[in-house]
Amino acid sequence: MAEKRTLLITAGPTREALDPVRFITNRSSGKMGYALAAAAVEKGFSVILVSGPVDSSVIPPEGLAEFVPVICAAEMAEVVKTRFPAMDAAILCAAVADYRPKVVAQNKIKKKEGELILELERTEDILFSLGQMKTGQQKLIGFAAETENLAENALCKLKKKNLDWIAANQVGLPGQGFQSDRNEITLYGVNGEVIPLPLTEKKLLAKQMLDAIFQ
Ligand code: PMT
């Protein structure tokens, strides 16, 4: 019997700590990434799902090869970069924080008179790092979440991050994108492919996405 193809998927948000009780995060629910993981298991892949913190109603699908919960961008970067060399492909759907607090206070920050100014520093761009590590046999797929200039920004990320495909989704609209059960995606391929996948349930969209990328 042929060996299963291996696929790593990231999902959910990351949390970047400010102090022991506060953090910076975003609106990702994990639904899109978990739908991709379920569709990939169904399609016969051996799937590793690396997930930021999500609500308990978002449940990892049965049949995963591995489920790795992480909290922050640095943790996600380490897990993903360690596992990627053994993978046939990776789809990075997580909404990773681009910035984290430069200093994490050891104790709860006390309120004082006047403003509090936070200093933030860049996190590692995990997708960019994988683009540098990628071999000719591996497929790398990213997402682009944009509120404006969707196609232009997605194509720029496709090239800059050395991807094979990018799934461009418009965010900030009601009823799709972050948190919703539905989404709409345009897939752009490195060879000039443009595949629109109209608004539908994330579960169906995930299947359509995998069918388009992996024949
Ligand atoms: O989780 P849901 O509520 O279901 O919502 C789904 C979604 C909107 C989060 C999903 O469809 C989506 O768009 N995921 C990517 C979100 C994002 O961070 O997009 P971006 O355009 O900022 O990042 C581009 C790519 O780089 C993404 O593949 C991202 O995973 C990756 N990235 C970003 C920053 C970083 N430090 N490291 C990364 O790897």
Side-chain angles (χ1 to χ4, degrees), residues 10-14 16 26-36 54 58 73 76-77 80 91-99 122-130 141-146 153-154 157 161 163 165-172 176-185 202 205 209:
T10 67
T14 64
E16 310 302 326
N26 60 65
R27 296 180 190 279
S28 172
S29 64
K31 287 177 187 173
M32 189 69 237
Y34 280 53
L36 281 164
V54 298
V58 182
M76 184 174 277
V80 168
I91 304 179
L92 301 203
C93 182
V96 185
D98 288 321
Y99 293 90
R122 284 287 305 269
T123 57
E124 178 173 350
D125 187 328
I126 307 168
L127 186 57
F128 182 83
S129 299
L130 296 195
I141 300 105
F143 269 74
E146 309 291 343
N153 289 331
K157 286 176 182 171
K161 301 192 187 199
L163 310 179
W165 291 89
I166 192 149
N169 53 181
Q170 183 88 27
V171 291
Q176 67 184 85
F178 283 93
Q179 292 177 329
S180 172
D181 287 333
R182 290 157 73 83
N183 205 8
E184 178 180 3
I185 274 170
K202 284 179 177 170
L205 191 65
M209 212 180 123

Side-chain angles (χ1 to χ4, degrees), residues 109-157:
I109 299 167
K110 293 285 188 195
K111 64 174 170 292
K112 295 186 196 132
E113 289 304 313
E115 293 176 347
L116 172 71
I117 295 172
L118 292 176
E119 202 177 345
L120 304 178
E121 64 182 10
R122 284 287 305 269
T123 57
E124 178 173 350
D125 187 328
I126 307 168
L127 186 57
F128 182 83
S129 299
L130 296 195
Q132 303 293 298
M133 293 167 68
K134 191 178 75 156
T135 66
Q137 278 71 51
Q138 290 177 305
K139 270 202 172 113
L140 183 58
I141 300 105
F143 269 74
E146 309 291 343
T147 53
E148 56 188 345
N149 304 329
L150 182 60
E152 190 186 332
N153 289 331
L155 287 168
C156 178
K157 286 176 182 171

